[in-house]
Protein backbone atom coordinates (compact mmCIF):
# COMPACT_ATOMS: atom_id res chain seq x y z
CA UNK A 1 0.00 0.00 0.00
CA UNK A 2 2.98 2.26 0.61
CA UNK A 3 2.10 5.96 0.49
CA UNK A 4 -1.37 5.65 -1.05
CA UNK A 5 -4.43 6.86 0.87
CA UNK A 6 -8.14 7.32 0.30
CA UNK A 7 -10.15 9.67 2.52
CA UNK A 8 -13.88 9.02 2.61
CA UNK A 9 -16.36 11.79 3.44
CA UNK A 10 -13.87 14.49 4.35
CA UNK A 11 -14.72 18.18 3.96
CA UNK A 12 -12.36 20.70 2.34
CA UNK A 13 -11.33 22.38 5.59
CA UNK A 14 -10.40 19.14 7.33
CA UNK A 15 -8.69 17.81 4.22
CA UNK A 16 -6.37 20.79 3.99
CA UNK A 17 -5.48 20.42 7.68
CA UNK A 18 -4.97 16.66 7.36
CA UNK A 19 -2.83 17.01 4.22
CA UNK A 20 -0.62 19.57 5.95
CA UNK A 21 -0.33 17.28 8.98
CA UNK A 22 0.57 14.22 6.87
CA UNK A 23 3.23 16.10 4.96
CA UNK A 24 4.69 17.60 8.13
CA UNK A 25 4.95 14.21 9.84
CA UNK A 26 6.56 12.43 6.87
CA UNK A 27 9.43 12.80 4.46
CA UNK A 28 7.15 14.82 2.14
CA UNK A 29 7.28 17.95 4.30
CA UNK A 30 8.59 20.43 1.71
CA UNK A 31 7.38 18.71 -1.46
CA UNK A 32 5.38 20.22 -4.29
CA UNK A 33 1.67 19.35 -4.34
CA UNK A 34 -0.33 18.64 -7.53
CA UNK A 35 -4.12 18.66 -7.13
CA UNK A 36 -6.42 17.03 -9.68
CA UNK A 37 -10.17 17.58 -9.50
CA UNK A 38 -11.40 14.34 -11.06
CA UNK A 39 -14.53 15.76 -12.66
CA UNK A 40 -12.24 18.10 -14.60
CA UNK A 41 -9.09 15.98 -15.13
CA UNK A 42 -8.57 12.55 -16.66
CA UNK A 43 -6.50 9.70 -15.30
CA UNK A 44 -3.87 9.92 -18.01
CA UNK A 45 -2.74 13.28 -16.60
CA UNK A 46 -2.51 11.81 -13.10
CA UNK A 47 -0.63 8.75 -14.32
CA UNK A 48 1.82 10.92 -16.22
CA UNK A 49 2.46 12.91 -13.04
CA UNK A 50 2.89 9.74 -10.98
CA UNK A 51 5.36 8.28 -13.47
CA UNK A 52 7.59 11.34 -13.89
CA UNK A 53 10.01 12.98 -11.51
CA UNK A 54 9.45 16.40 -10.01
CA UNK A 55 11.57 19.32 -11.15
CA UNK A 56 11.74 20.44 -7.52
CA UNK A 57 13.05 17.23 -5.95
CA UNK A 58 12.75 13.46 -5.84
CA UNK A 59 9.51 13.37 -3.84
CA UNK A 60 6.08 14.77 -4.63
CA UNK A 61 2.51 14.80 -3.39
CA UNK A 62 -0.38 14.10 -5.75
CA UNK A 63 -4.00 14.69 -4.73
CA UNK A 64 -6.99 13.25 -6.61
CA UNK A 65 -10.21 14.87 -5.37
CA UNK A 66 -13.62 13.23 -5.75
CA UNK A 67 -12.61 10.05 -7.54
CA UNK A 68 -16.27 9.03 -7.70
CA UNK A 69 -16.64 11.72 -10.40
CA UNK A 70 -14.21 10.07 -12.82
CA UNK A 71 -15.78 9.96 -16.28
CA UNK A 72 -15.83 6.30 -17.31
CA UNK A 73 -16.04 6.90 -21.06
CA UNK A 74 -13.03 9.21 -21.02
CA UNK A 75 -10.97 7.01 -18.70
CA UNK A 76 -11.91 3.37 -19.36
CA UNK A 77 -8.54 2.74 -21.03
CA UNK A 78 -6.66 4.03 -17.97
CA UNK A 79 -8.49 2.37 -15.06
CA UNK A 80 -6.53 -0.89 -15.17
CA UNK A 81 -3.26 0.98 -15.62
CA UNK A 82 -4.01 3.03 -12.51
CA UNK A 83 -4.70 -0.13 -10.49
CA UNK A 84 -1.38 -1.56 -11.68
CA UNK A 85 0.33 1.59 -10.43
CA UNK A 86 -1.20 1.03 -7.00
CA UNK A 87 0.15 -2.53 -7.02
CA UNK A 88 3.67 -1.22 -7.69
CA UNK A 89 3.59 2.41 -6.57
CA UNK A 90 6.66 4.58 -6.10
CA UNK A 91 7.81 5.30 -2.58
CA UNK A 92 8.75 8.82 -3.67
CA UNK A 93 5.07 9.61 -4.37
CA UNK A 94 2.50 10.44 -1.71
CA UNK A 95 -0.86 9.77 -3.39
CA UNK A 96 -3.99 10.94 -1.61
CA UNK A 97 -7.50 10.45 -2.99
CA UNK A 98 -10.85 11.63 -1.70
CA UNK A 99 -14.34 10.27 -2.23
CA UNK A 100 -17.70 11.69 -1.18
CA UNK A 101 -20.43 9.64 0.47
CA UNK A 102 -22.73 10.24 -2.53
CA UNK A 103 -20.61 7.76 -4.52
CA UNK A 104 -20.87 7.15 -8.27
CA UNK A 105 -23.87 6.24 -10.41
CA UNK A 106 -21.68 4.35 -12.90
CA UNK A 107 -21.33 0.62 -12.18
CA UNK A 108 -17.85 0.46 -13.74
CA UNK A 109 -16.58 3.34 -11.60
CA UNK A 110 -18.13 1.68 -8.51
CA UNK A 111 -16.19 -1.48 -9.34
CA UNK A 112 -13.03 0.56 -9.94
CA UNK A 113 -13.38 2.22 -6.51
CA UNK A 114 -13.84 -1.18 -4.84
CA UNK A 115 -10.64 -2.37 -6.54
CA UNK A 116 -8.84 0.80 -5.41
CA UNK A 117 -9.89 0.21 -1.78
CA UNK A 118 -8.36 -3.28 -1.86
CA UNK A 119 -5.00 -1.73 -2.69
CA UNK A 120 -4.75 1.33 -0.44
CA UNK A 121 -5.21 2.66 3.08
CA UNK A 122 -8.88 3.72 3.19
CA UNK A 123 -9.71 6.16 5.97
CA UNK A 124 -13.25 7.19 6.87
CA UNK A 125 -12.74 10.65 8.34
CA UNK A 126 -14.90 11.85 11.21
CA UNK A 127 -14.50 15.48 12.19
CA UNK A 128 -15.49 16.75 15.62
CA UNK A 129 -17.44 19.90 14.81
CA UNK A 130 -17.37 21.05 18.45
CA UNK A 131 -13.56 21.05 18.44
CA UNK A 132 -13.53 22.93 15.14
CA UNK A 133 -15.82 25.63 16.57
CA UNK A 134 -13.60 25.99 19.66
CA UNK A 135 -10.54 26.39 17.44
CA UNK A 136 -12.23 28.89 15.13
CA UNK A 137 -13.47 30.99 18.07
CA UNK A 138 -10.26 30.78 20.09
CA UNK A 139 -9.71 34.00 22.03
CA UNK A 140 -13.45 34.62 22.45
CA UNK A 141 -15.49 33.92 25.57
CA UNK A 142 -18.34 31.54 24.71
CA UNK A 143 -21.54 31.37 26.72
CA UNK A 144 -22.67 27.85 27.67
CA UNK A 145 -24.68 26.37 24.81
CA UNK A 146 -23.04 28.42 22.04
CA UNK A 147 -20.99 25.57 20.58
CA UNK A 148 -23.86 23.09 20.46
CA UNK A 149 -26.21 25.70 19.01
CA UNK A 150 -23.80 26.63 16.19
CA UNK A 151 -23.25 22.96 15.36
CA UNK A 152 -26.98 22.27 15.37
CA UNK A 153 -27.88 25.28 13.22
CA UNK A 154 -25.17 24.37 10.70
CA UNK A 155 -26.10 20.65 10.66
CA UNK A 156 -22.44 19.89 11.45
CA UNK A 157 -21.48 21.12 7.97
CA UNK A 158 -17.90 22.30 8.45
CA UNK A 159 -17.83 24.84 5.63
CA UNK A 160 -21.00 26.41 7.00
CA UNK A 161 -19.54 26.37 10.54
CA UNK A 162 -16.42 28.18 9.31
CA UNK A 163 -18.45 30.91 7.58
CA UNK A 164 -20.79 31.43 10.54
CA UNK A 165 -17.91 31.56 13.04
CA UNK A 166 -16.17 34.21 10.95
CA UNK A 167 -19.42 36.20 10.96
CA UNK A 168 -19.68 35.91 14.75
CA UNK A 169 -16.05 36.96 15.24
CA UNK A 170 -16.53 40.07 13.12
CA UNK A 171 -19.74 40.96 14.95
CA UNK A 172 -18.23 40.54 18.44
CA UNK A 173 -14.74 41.79 17.66
CA UNK A 174 -14.98 44.54 20.30
CA UNK A 175 -15.98 42.65 23.44
CA UNK A 176 -14.86 39.12 22.42
CA UNK A 177 -17.93 37.65 24.12
CA UNK A 178 -20.30 35.45 22.10
CA UNK A 179 -23.69 34.59 23.60
CA UNK A 180 -26.54 32.26 22.64
CA UNK A 181 -28.54 35.34 21.66
CA UNK A 182 -25.74 36.34 19.25
CA UNK A 183 -25.90 32.92 17.61
CA UNK A 184 -29.69 33.05 17.30
CA UNK A 185 -29.43 36.53 15.79
CA UNK A 186 -26.66 35.89 13.27
CA UNK A 187 -26.40 32.19 12.45
CA UNK A 188 -28.91 31.08 9.86
CA UNK A 189 -30.35 27.61 10.35
CA UNK A 190 -29.41 25.24 7.56
CA UNK A 191 -31.77 22.62 6.22
CA UNK A 192 -30.17 19.54 4.73
CA UNK A 193 -31.53 17.47 1.91
CA UNK A 194 -34.78 15.60 2.64
CA UNK A 195 -33.01 12.32 3.47
CA UNK A 196 -30.90 14.09 6.12
CA UNK A 197 -33.93 15.86 7.54
CA UNK A 198 -35.99 12.67 7.70
CA UNK A 199 -33.12 10.90 9.47
CA UNK A 200 -33.36 13.49 12.28
CA UNK A 201 -37.12 12.99 12.25
CA UNK A 202 -36.68 9.21 12.59
CA UNK A 203 -34.20 9.73 15.43
CA UNK A 204 -36.83 11.77 17.30
CA UNK A 205 -39.33 8.94 16.74
CA UNK A 206 -36.78 6.38 17.96
CA UNK A 207 -36.13 8.41 21.12
CA UNK A 208 -39.90 8.73 21.64
CA UNK A 209 -39.55 12.51 21.52
CA UNK A 210 -42.93 13.23 19.97
CA UNK A 211 -42.62 16.99 20.49
CA UNK A 212 -39.35 17.10 18.52
CA UNK A 213 -40.75 14.73 15.87
CA UNK A 214 -43.75 17.02 15.30
CA UNK A 215 -41.45 20.05 15.17
CA UNK A 216 -39.21 18.41 12.55
CA UNK A 217 -42.21 17.19 10.58
CA UNK A 218 -43.57 20.75 10.36
CA UNK A 219 -40.14 22.05 9.35
CA UNK A 220 -40.09 19.50 6.55
CA UNK A 221 -43.44 20.78 5.34
CA UNK A 222 -42.51 24.46 5.65
CA UNK A 223 -38.91 24.50 4.46
CA UNK A 224 -38.49 21.40 2.32
CA UNK A 225 -41.92 21.59 0.66
CA UNK A 226 -42.26 17.83 0.97
CA UNK A 227 -45.65 16.36 0.16
CA UNK A 228 -47.06 13.98 2.80
CA UNK A 229 -46.86 10.95 0.48
CA UNK A 230 -43.25 11.78 -0.39
CA UNK A 231 -42.41 12.00 3.30
CA UNK A 232 -44.03 8.62 3.94
CA UNK A 233 -41.87 7.18 1.16
CA UNK A 234 -38.68 8.64 2.66
CA UNK A 235 -39.51 7.46 6.19
CA UNK A 236 -40.52 4.05 4.90
CA UNK A 237 -37.31 3.56 2.93
CA UNK A 238 -35.26 4.36 6.03
CA UNK A 239 -37.22 1.90 8.18
CA UNK A 240 -36.88 -0.79 5.50
CA UNK A 241 -33.10 -0.48 5.46
CA UNK A 242 -33.19 -0.39 9.29
CA UNK A 243 -34.97 -3.76 9.17
CA UNK A 244 -32.31 -5.22 6.86
CA UNK A 245 -29.47 -3.78 8.96
CA UNK A 246 -31.06 -5.10 12.18
CA UNK A 247 -31.28 -8.60 10.69
CA UNK A 248 -27.60 -8.56 9.72
CA UNK A 249 -26.32 -6.94 12.91
CA UNK A 250 -28.17 -9.65 14.88
CA UNK A 251 -25.90 -12.09 13.03
CA UNK A 252 -22.87 -10.22 14.37
CA UNK A 253 -21.85 -8.55 11.12
CA UNK A 254 -19.70 -5.41 11.02
CA UNK A 255 -20.68 -2.16 9.32
CA UNK A 256 -18.46 -2.90 6.32
CA UNK A 257 -19.87 -6.41 5.93
CA UNK A 258 -23.44 -5.09 6.08
CA UNK A 259 -22.61 -2.32 3.60
CA UNK A 260 -21.16 -4.86 1.18
CA UNK A 261 -24.18 -7.18 1.37
CA UNK A 262 -26.72 -4.35 1.01
CA UNK A 263 -24.55 -2.54 -1.57
CA UNK A 264 -24.85 0.62 0.53
CA UNK A 265 -22.28 3.18 1.57
CA UNK A 266 -20.68 2.40 4.97
CA UNK A 267 -21.61 5.91 6.15
CA UNK A 268 -25.31 5.14 5.68
CA UNK A 269 -24.97 1.88 7.58
CA UNK A 270 -23.17 3.65 10.44
CA UNK A 271 -25.94 6.27 10.64
CA UNK A 272 -28.66 3.63 10.45
CA UNK A 273 -27.13 1.68 13.33
CA UNK A 274 -27.47 4.78 15.48
CA UNK A 275 -31.23 4.08 15.30
CA UNK A 276 -31.48 0.28 15.27
CA UNK A 277 -30.46 0.13 18.94
CA UNK A 278 -33.85 1.60 19.84
CA UNK A 279 -35.87 -1.17 18.15
CA UNK A 280 -36.24 -4.90 17.81
CA UNK A 281 -37.25 -6.46 14.49
CA UNK A 282 -40.93 -6.67 15.45
CA UNK A 283 -41.00 -2.95 16.32
CA UNK A 284 -39.55 -1.99 12.93
CA UNK A 285 -41.93 -4.34 11.13
CA UNK A 286 -44.94 -2.85 12.95
CA UNK A 287 -43.88 0.68 11.94
CA UNK A 288 -43.47 -0.35 8.29
CA UNK A 289 -46.99 -1.86 8.34
CA UNK A 290 -48.42 1.26 10.03
CA UNK A 291 -46.79 3.51 7.42
CA UNK A 292 -48.24 1.38 4.63
CA UNK A 293 -51.71 1.76 6.17
CA UNK A 294 -51.32 5.56 6.41
CA UNK A 295 -50.17 5.62 2.78
CA UNK A 296 -53.20 3.58 1.68
CA UNK A 297 -55.66 5.67 3.72
CA UNK A 298 -54.30 8.92 2.25
CA UNK A 299 -54.72 7.54 -1.27
CA UNK A 300 -58.19 6.02 -0.78
CA UNK A 301 -60.00 8.35 1.64
CA UNK A 302 -60.75 12.05 1.92
CA UNK A 303 -58.92 12.36 5.27
CA UNK A 304 -56.44 15.22 5.63
CA UNK A 305 -52.97 13.67 5.00
CA UNK A 306 -51.25 16.12 7.35
CA UNK A 307 -53.58 15.21 10.20
CA UNK A 308 -53.11 11.50 9.49
CA UNK A 309 -49.33 11.77 9.64
CA UNK A 310 -49.46 13.73 12.86
CA UNK A 311 -51.71 11.04 14.38
CA UNK A 312 -49.18 8.44 13.23
CA UNK A 313 -46.41 10.36 15.04
CA UNK A 314 -48.44 10.65 18.24
CA UNK A 315 -49.52 6.99 18.25
CA UNK A 316 -46.26 5.32 17.27
Amino acid sequence: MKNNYLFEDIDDISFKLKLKEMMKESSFKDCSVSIYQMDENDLDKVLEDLDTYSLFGDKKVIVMKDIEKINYDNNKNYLERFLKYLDNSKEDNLLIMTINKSGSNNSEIKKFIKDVKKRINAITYKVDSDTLIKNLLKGYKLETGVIKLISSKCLDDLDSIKNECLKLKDYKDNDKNITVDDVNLLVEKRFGDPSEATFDFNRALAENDKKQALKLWRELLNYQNIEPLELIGLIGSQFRIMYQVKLLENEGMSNNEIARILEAHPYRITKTRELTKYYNLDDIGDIIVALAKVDLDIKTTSCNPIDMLEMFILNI
Side-chain angles (χ1 to χ4, degrees):
M1 292 184 178
K2 297 182 182 177
N3 298 314
N4 305 316
Y5 298 88
L6 173 65
F7 283 93
E8 300 185 66
D9 307 329
I10 188 170
D11 63 284
D12 284 339
I13 297 171
S14 299
F15 179 74
K16 289 174 183 175
L17 294 172
K18 189 62 182 176
L19 176 60
K20 185 176 180 181
E21 176 187 318
M22 290 178 73
M23 291 176 65
K24 184 178 179 181
E25 294 177 354
S26 69
S27 58
F28 294 88
K29 182 177 180 181
D30 299 315
C31 296
S32 61
V33 180
S34 300
I35 298 178
Y36 295 91
Q37 185 67 48
M38 295 315 296
D39 58 348
E40 299 173 359
N41 298 105
D42 289 333
L43 274 174
D44 60 331
K45 301 295 184 186
V46 178
L47 285 164
E48 182 181 353
D49 201 349
L50 288 167
D51 290 336
T52 57
Y53 288 96
S54 171
L55 295 174
F56 305 101
D58 294 334
K59 297 178 179 292
K60 62 172 137 178
V61 179
I62 295 172
V63 175
M64 298 169 60
K65 300 194 73 174
D66 303 332
I67 63 169
E68 79 282 359
K69 295 180 181 178
I70 291 174
N71 184 300
Y72 175 71
D73 292 331
N74 292 348
N75 292 277
K76 57 186 176 182
N77 295 327
Y78 302 108
L79 299 179
E80 191 62 34
R81 184 178 158 195
F82 184 80
L83 294 175
K84 287 181 179 178
Y85 169 82
L86 293 179
D87 289 331
N88 297 281
S89 58
K90 294 181 178 180
E91 293 187 2
D92 288 339
N93 292 335
L94 174 60
L95 173 62
I96 302 177
M97 297 165 276
T98 72
I99 182 172
N100 289 319
K101 62 186 177 185
S102 57
S104 173
N105 294 323
N106 183 282
S107 59
E108 294 293 340
I109 295 300
K110 286 181 179 179
K111 180 181 180 301
F112 167 71
I113 291 171
K114 286 182 180 179
D115 289 336
V116 167
K117 288 182 177 181
K118 295 174 184 176
R119 293 165 165 83
I120 49 82
N121 302 287
I123 302 171
T124 301
Y125 201 79
K126 176 67 175 175
V127 179
D128 181 356
S129 57
D130 289 0
T131 300
L132 177 64
I133 293 169
K134 289 177 184 176
N135 290 336
L136 290 170
L137 298 179
K138 192 173 182 179
Y140 286 72
K141 183 180 178 181
L142 307 180
E143 183 182 8
T144 301
V146 160
I147 292 175
K148 291 295 182 186
L149 185 57
I150 294 172
S151 184
S152 174
K153 279 177 167 279
C154 294
L155 295 182
D156 290 327
D157 179 82
L158 301 190
D159 288 325
S160 178
I161 286 172
K162 180 182 178 183
N163 292 333
E164 297 300 338
C165 284
L166 289 174
K167 190 193 302 181
L168 285 164
K169 287 171 73 173
D170 288 342
Y171 180 68
K172 301 306 297 273
D173 186 54
N174 290 331
D175 65 5
K176 308 288 185 184
N177 182 34
I178 297 175
T179 67
V180 168
D181 287 341
D182 295 327
V183 176
N184 283 323
L185 176 66
L186 291 177
V187 178
E188 184 176 353
K189 181 174 175 56
R190 280 184 87 248
F191 292 92
D193 63 40
S195 62
E196 290 176 336
T198 52
F199 180 87
D200 291 337
F201 171 80
N202 281 352
R203 178 187 290 280
L205 287 181
E207 294 175 345
N208 201 30
D209 188 345
K210 292 180 170 42
K211 182 178 179 180
Q212 178 68 0
L214 285 169
K215 176 177 177 289
L216 290 169
W217 148 240
R218 286 160 186 164
E219 285 182 355
L220 283 165
L221 285 178
N222 294 331
Y223 296 100
Q224 297 282 0
N225 294 318
I226 294 179
E227 294 295 328
L229 284 174
E230 183 184 358
L231 178 60
I232 289 174
L234 287 168
I235 298 169
S237 68
Q238 289 185 349
F239 273 99
R240 283 191 292 275
I241 194 170
M242 281 172 62
Y243 190 88
Q244 294 173 305
V245 169
K246 189 73 177 180
L247 274 173
L248 295 173
E249 73 177 16
N250 285 350
E251 295 181 12
M253 293 190 180
S254 68
N255 287 2
N256 286 335
E257 289 173 324
I258 295 172
R260 186 170 62 253
I261 291 171
L262 299 182
E263 297 184 347
H265 195 284
Y267 176 82
R268 185 178 186 190
I269 302 304
T270 300
K271 295 293 287 183
T272 300
R273 292 189 74 172
E274 292 177 13
L275 302 183
T276 54
K277 64 184 179 183
Y278 293 99
Y279 299 103
N280 59 41
L281 283 172
D282 289 339
D283 292 334
I284 300 173
D286 289 344
I287 290 172
I288 292 172
V289 171
L291 277 169
K293 184 178 185 307
V294 172
D295 180 78
L296 180 63
D297 287 346
I298 289 174
K299 291 175 179 176
T300 58
T301 71
S302 59
C303 295
N304 186 308
I306 295 176
D307 291 341
M308 293 188 71
L309 267 171
E310 293 194 350
M311 287 301 297
F312 164 79
I313 294 168
L314 292 171
N315 292 326
I316 195 171

